[in-house]
Amino acid sequence: MPVPSSRHFLQIPGPTNVPDRVLRAIDRPTIDHRGPEFEKLAREILAGLRRVFKTKQPVIVYPASGTGAWEAALSNTLSPGDRVLMFETGHFATLWREMAERWGLSVDFVPGDWRHGVDPALVEDKLRADPQGKVRAVCVVHNETSTGVASRIPEVRAAMSRAGHPALLLVDTISSLASMDYRHDEWGVDVTVAGSQKGLMLPPGLSFNAVSEKALAASRTAGLRRSYWDWSAMLRANESGFFPYTPATNLLYGLRESLAMLEEEGLENVFRRHARHAEATRRAVHAWGLEVNCADEREHSTSLTGIRMPASHDADSLRGIILDRFDLSLGQGLGKLKGKLFRIGHLGAFNDLMLCGTLAGVEMGLSLAGVPHRPGGVAAALQHLARPV
């Protein structure tokens, strides 16, 4: 393979492209994490995060991947043997279930087809069938990164309210925060899980829990063991602008810059940009005569699109051809979808021309791989993108 003469196209659904502004912010001398300069940095970041999560409640920052934030959400709110309600919406929902079971929780895992989000009516039925309130938490992946399907969190919360059930609502927003509309307080979420490497436009390495008053109350009696993940230690230190252990200082520099970029663009504009790119991508897929994985128009992800391959054609072979020929990385199918699907990430630091280049690479790759399709996908996307914003 010849050495590429230009930049690599990284269009997986995360980690995403890191803007130069953020890279330059990270590239600063490390400071004393017990000194006044760090205190100012931490207070700025914690305030900015509350605006992104749309909450007035605390947001806790961990030096960890999103998996760490999953564990923190469970270990701070639940006790051994507690029942939790979870849904098979894709690969990451399945991994969260496996973690819960390793913690000794009793998981009611509702089967799914990896093409639909959580059914709010089913949430209500499950909780009405539990009048004694033995289900302690409902865990939902807002935007399933492996499938390109988004669950309707406000409707899930409304279903829980109609059932009159006291369960906590825990939501994974790892591939939706700062890309898709999300409202921790307004939607009645108790713990929101997030990571740094997607909509926040950072490298991997930071994870987050936004926590409600109800979740904080639950943490005072929760019986699962915790030390590193303990909210109380973090919150005590955060009150004075510090952390209970060494923080990822340079990633926090980058986070301050990414929060500034989001505020400069305006979150509503960020969401509209993502929705516009998602619609253009779906138009390209339909023009090619291929199938979007999401089967419900109400549940299309706006941060990524999963594209199903025709029978007898392998998605990983297509991805390999596109990577070799155009230096373009696309997301692979995970779990049950391995080889059956590829994913285009269109989230984070992303613009019209980047999308055009990505779709052009895919269309050329389909031809090179001999995948049956119609030409004109890129043209369909361009027609949508050329409309006045």
Side-chain angles (χ1 to χ4, degrees):
M1 176 180 173
V3 177
S5 61
S6 186
R7 75 168 182 86
H8 174 64
F9 267 69
L10 180 69
Q11 298 318 143
I12 61 176
T16 60
N17 297 285
V18 180
D20 285 345
R21 278 180 60 176
V22 174
L23 290 171
R24 297 293 78 76
I26 292 171
D27 184 21
R28 292 186 55 191
T30 303
I31 58 173
D32 176 10
H33 62 285
R34 301 289 181 227
E37 186 179 352
F38 183 88
E39 177 188 355
K40 181 175 182 294
L41 171 68
R43 290 188 184 281
E44 280 185 48
I45 287 166
L46 293 173
L49 285 170
R50 285 194 292 272
R51 291 190 290 272
V52 171
F53 281 88
K54 296 188 177 178
T55 182
K56 295 181 180 178
Q57 302 303 315
V59 177
I60 296 167
V61 183
Y62 292 105
S65 68
T67 305
W70 272 354
E71 186 161 320
L74 297 176
S75 65
N76 279 280
T77 58
L78 299 167
S79 298
D82 277 354
R83 283 181 60 193
V84 294
L85 180 60
M86 307 179 94
F87 299 85
E88 188 193 4
T89 52
H91 182 68
F92 292 99
T94 303
L95 291 179
W96 202 7
R97 171 235 185 144
E98 292 173 0
M99 174 186 283
E101 290 177 335
R102 287 196 296 270
W103 270 110
L105 300 171
S106 175
V107 180
D108 181 358
F109 194 56
V110 180
D113 63 1
W114 294 40
R115 301 196 68 181
H116 293 83
V118 174
D119 181 353
L122 189 53
V123 174
E124 184 173 352
D125 290 345
K126 287 280 187 179
L127 295 182
R128 286 190 184 278
D130 178 39
Q132 295 179 324
K134 291 184 178 180
V135 174
R136 299 302 301 274
V138 176
C139 301
V140 177
V141 176
H142 179 213
N143 188 66
E144 177 54 73
T145 318
S146 66
T147 66
V149 178
S151 290
R152 291 163 279 152
I153 302 302
E155 294 182 36
V156 171
R157 176 73 262 182
M160 295 174 67
S161 298
R162 285 194 302 272
H165 200 282
L168 296 165
L169 176 58
L170 279 54
V171 178
D172 170 339
T173 66
I174 289 173
S175 63
S176 57
L177 187 79
S179 301
M180 300 168 62
D181 189 17
Y182 186 79
R183 311 174 192 187
H184 177 88
D185 286 358
E186 183 181 330
W187 292 355
V189 180
D190 293 299
V191 186
T192 298
V193 170
S196 59
Q197 73 275 19
K198 298 185 189 279
L200 288 174
M201 305 178 288
L202 289 162
L206 296 177
S207 65
F208 311 91
N209 280 173
V211 296
S212 72
E213 290 183 0
K214 183 178 176 181
L216 287 172
S219 72
R220 298 183 190 110
T221 58
L224 287 178
R225 292 184 176 183
R226 57 192 186 272
S227 175
Y228 182 85
W229 305 114
D230 187 14
W231 287 345
S232 62
M234 290 290 283
L235 291 171
R236 282 196 303 271
N238 286 172
E239 284 179 2
S240 57
F242 298 103
F243 286 73
Y245 39 71
T246 306
T249 307
N250 288 65
L251 283 177
L252 295 178
Y253 284 142
L255 178 57
R256 178 169 60 183
E257 193 66 24
S258 71
L259 292 171
M261 292 175 68
L262 291 169
E263 295 203 0
E264 288 167 16
E265 184 175 357
L267 274 177
E268 297 308 313
N269 293 325
V270 171
F271 301 150
R272 280 192 285 269
R273 169 167 56 83
H274 282 77
R276 183 166 165 272
H277 289 153
E279 176 63 25
T281 302
R282 290 193 297 272
R283 290 184 182 217
V285 175
H286 295 318
W288 289 325
L290 300 180
E291 187 179 8
V292 172
N293 185 60
C294 179
D296 187 331
E297 290 188 357
R298 299 171 298 174
E299 297 176 337
H300 283 306
S301 168
T302 58
S303 60
L304 73 133
T305 300
I307 303 165
R308 299 176 72 87
M309 290 290 284
S312 77
H313 288 270
D314 182 68
D316 290 338
S317 175
L318 170 67
R319 290 174 51 252
I321 289 169
I322 291 172
L323 176 61
D324 181 66
R325 186 66 179 270
F326 306 115
D327 199 21
L328 164 61
S329 289
L330 300 170
Q332 65 180 319
L334 300 171
K336 292 180 181 181
L337 297 175
K338 182 170 177 56
K340 299 177 181 178
L341 171 147
F342 67 94
R343 297 169 295 148
I344 297 175
H346 36 72
L347 72 162
F350 195 69
N351 62 33
D352 289 8
L353 293 182
M354 293 167 72
L355 179 59
C356 294
T358 299
L359 296 176
V362 173
E363 186 160 333
M364 290 186 288
L366 291 169
S367 295
L368 290 168
V371 176
H373 71 288
R374 297 189 298 265
V378 174
L382 292 178
Q383 186 175 35
H384 181 69
L385 292 173
R387 294 176 177 177
V389 178

